[in-house]
Amino acid sequence: MLLTLIVDDEKGARETLSGMLRQFCPGVQIVGEAASVAEAKNLIKLYRPQLVFLDIQMPFETGFSLLNSLETKPFHVVFTTAHNNYALKAIKFSALDYILKPIDITELQNAVQKAKNSPIGDHEQIAVLQAHGSDEEHDRIVLPYRDGFRVISCAEIVRFEGERNYSWVHFINGQKILTAKTLKEYEELLLDRHFFRAHQSHLINLKCVRGYIKGRGGQIEFVDGSVVDLARSRKQDFLAFYEMK
């Protein structure tokens, strides 16, 4: 049985989720419900759950406050929230799951199954919480690669270069790493962070652009000295950032 704790300040939300878990998710045992961070900490210590459904927005404190207050997190986290924003994209991108309210049965079942199939204590998940947990606008990203992962400021990234189901990440200091994510995934994650799909193979940081060379589509120069092609279909949108059409 998957020992499960529900944390939400709204009684109705706790009761709804509890009922759905009992009816549609066999193999789940609800060990407790908490209405606050303090109550949740006590129940985690008492029952040692394997899965915690955690509301993000609660009075005075957030779900992130709970996680940041724990020395270890030997359980899976599924966030439940009514807000679909950048922070949640970052969380889902990095393997932590979340469910938007009102809760969909299929999404709930998928989240539970994911918890059953994944090892507890995912260090990449913990790194994501540290990178994004306390501030939605905190401008960092987790980059998974062959030897582990890196948590890095988006300002240090010049561009992403797609290579089939992988992406090369090019940094301002000239280094690069190959990550196990597609260019499309990075594009979706960084849409609101001054990144622009300049070409089928290139996602660029607009803050790292040094200049532009005219041409059919043209070429873009970067602060690290590199140059990439700009797709003709993206030329107008790119120049619009600089009010040049």
Side-chain angles (χ1 to χ4, degrees):
M1 298 293 286
L2 192 65
L3 304 181
T4 301
L5 174 67
I6 298 173
V7 183
D8 197 309
D9 64 297
E10 296 182 5
K11 182 179 179 181
R14 296 195 304 272
E15 291 177 345
T16 297
L17 178 54
S18 175
M20 293 178 72
L21 286 169
R22 290 190 171 95
Q23 183 175 357
F24 300 109
C25 301
V28 170
Q29 180 182 343
I30 300 172
V31 296
E33 298 179 10
S36 67
V37 169
E39 188 177 357
K41 288 180 67 174
N42 290 333
L43 292 179
I44 288 171
K45 183 177 180 180
L46 180 63
Y47 293 112
R48 300 183 182 279
Q50 299 161 295
L51 173 61
V52 175
F53 284 92
L54 181 59
D55 186 25
I56 293 181
Q57 298 296 332
M58 293 185 286
F60 308 112
E61 293 184 282
T62 69
F64 293 120
S65 301
L66 169 63
L67 296 171
N68 289 330
S69 70
L70 300 174
E71 292 184 5
T72 60
K73 305 171 185 66
F75 50 80
H76 290 295
V77 176
V78 174
F79 288 105
T80 58
T81 179
H83 304 285
N84 185 9
N85 56 24
Y86 171 76
L88 295 181
K89 291 179 183 178
I91 292 164
K92 190 174 183 66
F93 182 81
S94 302
L96 285 173
D97 214 340
Y98 74 94
I99 302 175
L100 288 175
K101 299 176 182 178
I103 294 175
D104 177 82
I105 294 173
T106 301
E107 289 189 0
L108 179 62
Q109 292 174 322
N110 289 341
V112 169
Q113 192 61 44
K114 185 176 181 180
K116 290 179 179 180
N117 295 338
S118 303
I120 292 176
D122 190 319
H123 295 291
E124 182 178 333
Q125 293 182 359
I126 294 171
V128 173
L129 289 175
Q130 293 172 337
H132 299 281
S134 60
D135 184 355
E136 292 179 6
E137 299 301 321
H138 209 44
D139 202 23
R140 290 193 283 175
I141 184 174
V142 174
L143 302 174
Y145 68 111
R146 183 183 61 183
D147 297 326
F149 63 88
R150 290 177 65 179
V151 181
I152 193 164
S153 168
C154 292
E156 298 180 49
I157 300 172
V158 174
R159 58 189 173 90
F160 296 85
E161 182 180 358
E163 186 172 302
R164 297 182 182 178
N165 293 325
Y166 298 85
S167 296
W168 285 101
V169 186
H170 297 261
F171 302 104
I172 286 180
N173 62 9
Q175 294 181 347
K176 66 177 182 178
I177 60 173
L178 183 65
T179 65
K181 297 291 182 182
T182 66
L183 210 58
K184 182 175 177 58
E185 289 174 297
Y186 284 120
E187 181 182 14
E188 292 175 352
L189 177 65
L190 296 168
L191 181 63
D192 300 326
R193 287 296 179 272
H194 303 286
F195 280 80
F196 175 77
R197 188 69 174 263
H199 187 277
Q200 182 179 357
S201 302
H202 302 295
L203 177 69
I204 68 170
N205 185 347
L206 291 168
K207 291 186 176 182
C208 290
V209 172
R210 173 181 287 169
Y212 168 73
I213 304 170
K214 289 184 178 180
R216 185 177 179 86
Q219 292 183 308
I220 304 170
E221 298 178 310
F222 298 93
V223 294
D224 66 343
S226 61
V227 177
V228 302
D229 291 331
L230 174 63
R232 185 181 180 186
S233 61
R234 305 296 289 148
K235 181 177 180 178
Q236 184 173 354
D237 290 337
F238 172 75
L239 294 179
F241 283 102
Y242 305 95
E243 298 182 352
M244 296 178 60
K245 297 182 182 180

